[in-house]
Amino acid sequence: MQRQIPEVVVSRLPMYIRGLTELYQGGIALVNSGDLGARLGIAPAQIRKDLSYFGKFGRRGRGYNVALLLGELSQILGLDRQWLMAVVGVGRLGRAIMDYKGFAPRGFKIVAAFDRDRKVIGRKVSDVEIQDMSELEATVKEKNVNIAIVAVPSSEAQEVIDLLVQSGVRSILNYAPICGKVPPGVRLEGIDPVLALQSMTYYLARSCDDLS
Amino acid sequence: MQRQIPEVVVSRLPMYIRGLTELYQGGIALVNSGDLGARLGIAPAQIRKDLSYFGKFGRRGRGYNVALLLGELSQILGLDRQWLMAVVGVGRLGRAIMDYKGFAPRGFKIVAAFDRDRKVIGRKVSDVEIQDMSELEATVKEKNVNIAIVAVPSSEAQEVIDLLVQSGVRSILNYAPICGKVPPGVRLEGIDPVLALQSMTYYLARSCDDLS
């Protein structure tokens, strides 16, 4: 039995996975918290504390075994299996998501897609047939969809989230620029490109000041 | 003159802005680090430490003044002005980005777009005309573009990033699933939806275990 891990620690694990994967692919066998921290922009002390939740991965002065840590973290995050996803809303954004080549190699497979628009229902995008929204609940249950991606306009997003929750989906990735609501036990994460832009502007604003 | 702020602190400020904006819109005037932390999934002690870099915003036992803190953090991040952006790659993803309604209200304006495909060059998406990639350098300089968004396939992403750097762009938001390289002084952030999925699977994997 594992201890309860704080959410903020869990949210950092994918970054560790990404950094460790790069190291592993580059043939690096051992890494210390200082080098890993420099690569990820996380304080070494934070890394040591985060990883301490999951047992002893490193030896003082020797660093972490990259392959071992990568395998262990992947298992902890449940990345040693395939997750089935549905996309709701197949406009430009939804189609771009269905087209995205980064999901499948990392264990996330899109198996269903839904829209309200009769002009797109019945068409295929990346080998997945777009179904009518009215078939969502039955299809999600039948295909054992674990995760749903919401790519509808903001005005429809909460309604779609409610429908997904009602259909038994417990993990939702929301691309609409709203802060949706879900009941306890359901996880809702938002993809908000503005958050990334807003931290870049800090540095842009500083360098403009330098010039004046 | 401000002290040098650690990158990881800067990267958390947009989340504070988002949380504070919600509170502000909800008519909340004061918030303590415990309530703000619960809302954002960040430890209260971390919040107090992060905000201490920027001066005294709160009084012990009273909490932070939401409007004051929001205004101050917005200014620190350079969000009190408009930033001009270019999109490179106008396929499905690029068009979805140009269509995205969340940028403009938060001060990010797309003013140029580029592609290699003659079939799309000259067309308009959301009032911006798509130009040939060969015009990128001149247009970016002429229009004072601050930030570029890369939405080309992985195989072309590094080449586009190099061209942007050469054209004087110092902030790049990369949607291609690669870890690009930039010289010192240029900031490159990646949008990777898989990172958000990978922390949700932690909870899905746990709840599956519960059932067995």
Side-chain angles (χ1 to χ4, degrees), chain A residues 60-97:
Chain A
R60 189 173 293 274
R62 277 205 61 196
Y64 298 103
N65 177 318
V66 172
L68 192 68
L69 184 53
L70 189 56
E72 201 71 29
L73 292 183
S74 296
Q75 205 192 347
I76 288 166
L77 282 182
L79 303 179
D80 49 352
R81 52 162 286 187
Q82 191 174 58
W83 297 97
L84 304 181
M85 306 199 295
V87 173
V88 189
V90 194
R92 281 174 179 167
L93 176 61
R95 262 172 275 188
I97 291 167

Short mmCIF file of all heavy atoms in Angstrom, two decimals, chain A residues 60-97:
data_model
loop_
_atom_site.label_atom_id
_atom_site.label_comp_id
_atom_site.label_asym_id
_atom_site.label_seq_id
_atom_site.Cartn_x
_atom_site.Cartn_y
_atom_site.Cartn_z
N ARG A 60 22.92 8.43 -2.12
CA ARG A 60 23.61 9.69 -1.89
C ARG A 60 24.93 9.74 -2.67
O ARG A 60 25.74 8.82 -2.56
CB ARG A 60 23.87 9.88 -0.40
CG ARG A 60 24.37 11.25 -0.02
CD ARG A 60 24.43 11.41 1.48
NE ARG A 60 23.11 11.40 2.10
CZ ARG A 60 22.36 12.50 2.23
NH1 ARG A 60 22.78 13.66 1.78
NH2 ARG A 60 21.17 12.42 2.80
N GLY A 61 25.08 10.76 -3.48
CA GLY A 61 26.34 10.95 -4.19
C GLY A 61 26.45 10.19 -5.50
O GLY A 61 27.33 10.46 -6.30
N ARG A 62 25.54 9.22 -5.72
CA ARG A 62 25.63 8.45 -6.97
C ARG A 62 24.59 8.88 -7.98
O ARG A 62 24.78 8.75 -9.17
CB ARG A 62 25.41 6.96 -6.69
CG ARG A 62 26.66 6.25 -6.20
CD ARG A 62 26.55 4.77 -6.52
NE ARG A 62 26.45 4.50 -7.94
CZ ARG A 62 26.04 3.35 -8.46
NH1 ARG A 62 25.67 2.37 -7.69
NH2 ARG A 62 25.99 3.17 -9.77
N GLY A 63 23.47 9.36 -7.48
CA GLY A 63 22.40 9.77 -8.38
C GLY A 63 21.36 8.67 -8.57
O GLY A 63 21.45 7.59 -7.97
N TYR A 64 20.37 8.97 -9.40
CA TYR A 64 19.29 8.04 -9.65
C TYR A 64 19.61 7.15 -10.85
O TYR A 64 20.19 7.63 -11.84
CB TYR A 64 18.00 8.79 -9.95
CG TYR A 64 17.53 9.67 -8.82
CD1 TYR A 64 17.71 11.05 -8.85
CD2 TYR A 64 16.89 9.11 -7.71
CE1 TYR A 64 17.27 11.86 -7.81
CE2 TYR A 64 16.44 9.91 -6.67
CZ TYR A 64 16.63 11.27 -6.72
OH TYR A 64 16.20 12.06 -5.70
N ASN A 65 19.18 5.90 -10.79
CA ASN A 65 19.26 5.00 -11.94
C ASN A 65 18.11 5.38 -12.89
O ASN A 65 16.94 5.21 -12.55
CB ASN A 65 19.12 3.56 -11.44
CG ASN A 65 19.12 2.55 -12.58
OD1 ASN A 65 18.50 2.77 -13.63
ND2 ASN A 65 19.80 1.45 -12.37
N VAL A 66 18.46 5.91 -14.05
CA VAL A 66 17.47 6.49 -14.97
C VAL A 66 16.42 5.47 -15.40
O VAL A 66 15.21 5.72 -15.31
CB VAL A 66 18.17 7.11 -16.21
CG1 VAL A 66 17.14 7.52 -17.26
CG2 VAL A 66 19.01 8.31 -15.78
N ALA A 67 16.87 4.29 -15.84
CA ALA A 67 15.94 3.27 -16.35
C ALA A 67 15.00 2.78 -15.25
O ALA A 67 13.79 2.65 -15.46
CB ALA A 67 16.72 2.09 -16.95
N LEU A 68 15.56 2.58 -14.07
CA LEU A 68 14.78 2.08 -12.95
C LEU A 68 13.71 3.09 -12.53
O LEU A 68 12.54 2.78 -12.34
CB LEU A 68 15.72 1.79 -11.78
CG LEU A 68 15.15 1.00 -10.60
CD1 LEU A 68 14.85 -0.44 -11.03
CD2 LEU A 68 16.14 1.00 -9.44
N LEU A 69 14.14 4.34 -12.42
CA LEU A 69 13.24 5.41 -11.99
C LEU A 69 12.12 5.63 -13.02
O LEU A 69 10.95 5.78 -12.68
CB LEU A 69 14.04 6.69 -11.77
CG LEU A 69 13.30 7.91 -11.22
CD1 LEU A 69 12.55 7.59 -9.95
CD2 LEU A 69 14.30 9.05 -10.96
N LEU A 70 12.52 5.60 -14.29
CA LEU A 70 11.55 5.77 -15.38
C LEU A 70 10.49 4.67 -15.34
O LEU A 70 9.28 4.93 -15.42
CB LEU A 70 12.31 5.75 -16.71
CG LEU A 70 11.56 6.11 -17.98
CD1 LEU A 70 10.91 7.48 -17.88
CD2 LEU A 70 12.53 6.09 -19.18
N GLY A 71 10.95 3.44 -15.17
CA GLY A 71 10.02 2.30 -15.14
C GLY A 71 9.08 2.39 -13.95
O GLY A 71 7.86 2.18 -14.07
N GLU A 72 9.65 2.75 -12.82
CA GLU A 72 8.86 2.82 -11.59
C GLU A 72 7.81 3.93 -11.66
O GLU A 72 6.64 3.72 -11.33
CB GLU A 72 9.83 3.07 -10.43
CG GLU A 72 9.32 2.70 -9.06
CD GLU A 72 9.23 1.19 -8.85
OE1 GLU A 72 10.04 0.45 -9.48
OE2 GLU A 72 8.35 0.78 -8.10
N LEU A 73 8.24 5.12 -12.12
CA LEU A 73 7.30 6.25 -12.21
C LEU A 73 6.20 5.95 -13.23
O LEU A 73 5.04 6.31 -13.04
CB LEU A 73 8.02 7.54 -12.57
CG LEU A 73 8.97 8.12 -11.51
CD1 LEU A 73 9.55 9.45 -12.00
CD2 LEU A 73 8.28 8.32 -10.17
N SER A 74 6.57 5.29 -14.34
CA SER A 74 5.57 4.95 -15.36
C SER A 74 4.51 4.03 -14.77
O SER A 74 3.32 4.19 -15.03
CB SER A 74 6.23 4.26 -16.55
OG SER A 74 7.12 5.12 -17.19
N GLN A 75 4.97 3.09 -13.96
CA GLN A 75 4.02 2.16 -13.34
C GLN A 75 3.13 2.89 -12.34
O GLN A 75 1.92 2.67 -12.29
CB GLN A 75 4.80 1.05 -12.64
CG GLN A 75 3.98 -0.22 -12.53
CD GLN A 75 4.62 -1.22 -11.59
OE1 GLN A 75 5.77 -1.08 -11.19
NE2 GLN A 75 3.86 -2.23 -11.21
N ILE A 76 3.73 3.76 -11.55
CA ILE A 76 2.96 4.53 -10.56
C ILE A 76 1.88 5.35 -11.24
O ILE A 76 0.74 5.44 -10.78
CB ILE A 76 3.90 5.44 -9.74
CG1 ILE A 76 4.74 4.59 -8.77
CG2 ILE A 76 3.11 6.51 -8.97
CD1 ILE A 76 5.92 5.31 -8.15
N LEU A 77 2.20 5.95 -12.38
CA LEU A 77 1.24 6.78 -13.10
C LEU A 77 0.26 5.96 -13.93
O LEU A 77 -0.62 6.51 -14.58
CB LEU A 77 1.95 7.78 -14.01
CG LEU A 77 2.56 9.02 -13.34
CD1 LEU A 77 3.18 9.93 -14.38
CD2 LEU A 77 1.50 9.79 -12.56
N GLY A 78 0.44 4.64 -13.95
CA GLY A 78 -0.47 3.81 -14.75
C GLY A 78 -0.20 3.91 -16.24
O GLY A 78 -1.09 3.76 -17.06
N LEU A 79 1.08 4.18 -16.60
CA LEU A 79 1.41 4.35 -18.02
C LEU A 79 1.88 3.04 -18.65
O LEU A 79 2.30 3.03 -19.80
CB LEU A 79 2.48 5.43 -18.18
CG LEU A 79 2.08 6.78 -17.59
CD1 LEU A 79 3.20 7.78 -17.77
CD2 LEU A 79 0.81 7.29 -18.22
N ASP A 80 1.80 1.95 -17.88
CA ASP A 80 2.22 0.65 -18.41
C ASP A 80 1.04 -0.09 -19.03
O ASP A 80 1.02 -1.30 -19.12
CB ASP A 80 2.87 -0.19 -17.29
CG ASP A 80 2.02 -0.22 -16.01
OD1 ASP A 80 1.02 0.53 -15.94
OD2 ASP A 80 2.37 -0.96 -15.09
N ARG A 81 0.01 0.67 -19.42
CA ARG A 81 -1.14 0.07 -20.09
C ARG A 81 -1.68 1.10 -21.10
O ARG A 81 -1.19 2.22 -21.17
CB ARG A 81 -2.23 -0.31 -19.09
CG ARG A 81 -2.63 0.82 -18.14
CD ARG A 81 -3.95 0.57 -17.49
NE ARG A 81 -5.02 0.79 -18.46
CZ ARG A 81 -6.31 0.77 -18.16
NH1 ARG A 81 -6.69 0.52 -16.93
NH2 ARG A 81 -7.22 1.00 -19.08
N GLN A 82 -2.68 0.67 -21.89
CA GLN A 82 -3.27 1.59 -22.85
C GLN A 82 -4.55 2.20 -22.27
O GLN A 82 -5.33 1.51 -21.61
CB GLN A 82 -3.60 0.84 -24.14
CG GLN A 82 -3.96 1.78 -25.26
CD GLN A 82 -4.15 1.05 -26.56
OE1 GLN A 82 -4.97 0.14 -26.68
NE2 GLN A 82 -3.39 1.45 -27.56
N TRP A 83 -4.74 3.51 -22.51
CA TRP A 83 -5.95 4.20 -22.07
C TRP A 83 -6.77 4.57 -23.30
O TRP A 83 -6.23 5.02 -24.30
CB TRP A 83 -5.57 5.46 -21.29
CG TRP A 83 -4.82 5.14 -20.03
CD1 TRP A 83 -3.48 5.15 -19.87
CD2 TRP A 83 -5.37 4.72 -18.78
NE1 TRP A 83 -3.14 4.77 -18.58
CE2 TRP A 83 -4.30 4.50 -17.89
CE3 TRP A 83 -6.67 4.51 -18.30
CZ2 TRP A 83 -4.48 4.09 -16.57
CZ3 TRP A 83 -6.85 4.10 -16.99
CH2 TRP A 83 -5.77 3.89 -16.14
N LEU A 84 -8.08 4.38 -23.20
CA LEU A 84 -8.96 4.64 -24.34
C LEU A 84 -9.65 5.98 -24.18
O LEU A 84 -10.17 6.28 -23.10
CB LEU A 84 -9.99 3.52 -24.47
CG LEU A 84 -9.38 2.10 -24.58
CD1 LEU A 84 -10.49 1.06 -24.71
CD2 LEU A 84 -8.41 2.00 -25.75
N MET A 85 -9.64 6.77 -25.26
CA MET A 85 -10.17 8.14 -25.16
C MET A 85 -11.26 8.40 -26.19
O MET A 85 -11.28 7.83 -27.28
CB MET A 85 -9.04 9.15 -25.39
CG MET A 85 -7.84 8.95 -24.47
SD MET A 85 -6.82 10.44 -24.37
CE MET A 85 -6.23 10.56 -26.06
N ALA A 86 -12.14 9.33 -25.84
CA ALA A 86 -13.15 9.84 -26.77
C ALA A 86 -12.94 11.35 -26.93
O ALA A 86 -12.59 12.03 -25.97
CB ALA A 86 -14.55 9.57 -26.24
N VAL A 87 -13.16 11.85 -28.14
CA VAL A 87 -13.09 13.29 -28.39
C VAL A 87 -14.52 13.79 -28.60
O VAL A 87 -15.27 13.20 -29.38
CB VAL A 87 -12.23 13.59 -29.65
CG1 VAL A 87 -12.30 15.06 -30.02
CG2 VAL A 87 -10.79 13.16 -29.41
N VAL A 88 -14.88 14.85 -27.90
CA VAL A 88 -16.22 15.43 -28.08
C VAL A 88 -16.07 16.82 -28.70
O VAL A 88 -15.42 17.70 -28.13
CB VAL A 88 -16.99 15.53 -26.75
CG1 VAL A 88 -18.44 15.92 -27.03
CG2 VAL A 88 -16.92 14.22 -25.98
N GLY A 89 -16.64 16.99 -29.89
CA GLY A 89 -16.48 18.23 -30.65
C GLY A 89 -15.43 18.01 -31.71
O GLY A 89 -14.24 17.91 -31.41
N VAL A 90 -15.87 17.90 -32.98
CA VAL A 90 -14.92 17.60 -34.05
C VAL A 90 -14.89 18.75 -35.04
O VAL A 90 -15.08 18.58 -36.24
CB VAL A 90 -15.24 16.25 -34.72
CG1 VAL A 90 -14.06 15.80 -35.57
CG2 VAL A 90 -15.51 15.16 -33.67
N GLY A 91 -14.69 19.96 -34.54
CA GLY A 91 -14.40 21.11 -35.40
C GLY A 91 -12.91 21.12 -35.69
O GLY A 91 -12.25 20.09 -35.63
N ARG A 92 -12.37 22.32 -35.97
CA ARG A 92 -10.94 22.41 -36.27
C ARG A 92 -10.08 21.84 -35.16
O ARG A 92 -9.18 21.06 -35.37
CB ARG A 92 -10.54 23.87 -36.48
CG ARG A 92 -10.93 24.38 -37.84
CD ARG A 92 -10.64 25.85 -37.94
NE ARG A 92 -10.99 26.33 -39.26
CZ ARG A 92 -11.08 27.60 -39.59
NH1 ARG A 92 -10.85 28.53 -38.69
NH2 ARG A 92 -11.40 27.94 -40.81
N LEU A 93 -10.40 22.24 -33.93
CA LEU A 93 -9.59 21.80 -32.80
C LEU A 93 -9.71 20.29 -32.60
O LEU A 93 -8.71 19.59 -32.47
CB LEU A 93 -10.01 22.55 -31.53
CG LEU A 93 -9.31 22.10 -30.25
CD1 LEU A 93 -7.81 22.30 -30.35
CD2 LEU A 93 -9.85 22.87 -29.05
N GLY A 94 -10.95 19.79 -32.60
CA GLY A 94 -11.17 18.36 -32.40
C GLY A 94 -10.45 17.53 -33.45
O GLY A 94 -9.85 16.51 -33.14
N ARG A 95 -10.49 18.01 -34.69
CA ARG A 95 -9.80 17.28 -35.76
C ARG A 95 -8.28 17.30 -35.56
O ARG A 95 -7.60 16.31 -35.77
CB ARG A 95 -10.16 17.86 -37.13
CG ARG A 95 -11.26 17.04 -37.78
CD ARG A 95 -11.77 17.69 -39.04
NE ARG A 95 -12.81 18.67 -38.68
CZ ARG A 95 -13.56 19.31 -39.58
NH1 ARG A 95 -13.37 19.11 -40.87
NH2 ARG A 95 -14.48 20.15 -39.17
N ALA A 96 -7.78 18.47 -35.13
CA ALA A 96 -6.33 18.56 -34.86
C ALA A 96 -5.94 17.59 -33.75
O ALA A 96 -4.90 16.94 -33.81
CB ALA A 96 -5.96 19.99 -34.48
N ILE A 97 -6.79 17.47 -32.74
CA ILE A 97 -6.51 16.55 -31.63
C ILE A 97 -6.51 15.10 -32.13
O ILE A 97 -5.63 14.32 -31.80
CB ILE A 97 -7.55 16.75 -30.49
CG1 ILE A 97 -7.32 18.11 -29.82
CG2 ILE A 97 -7.48 15.61 -29.47
CD1 ILE A 97 -8.46 18.56 -28.92
#
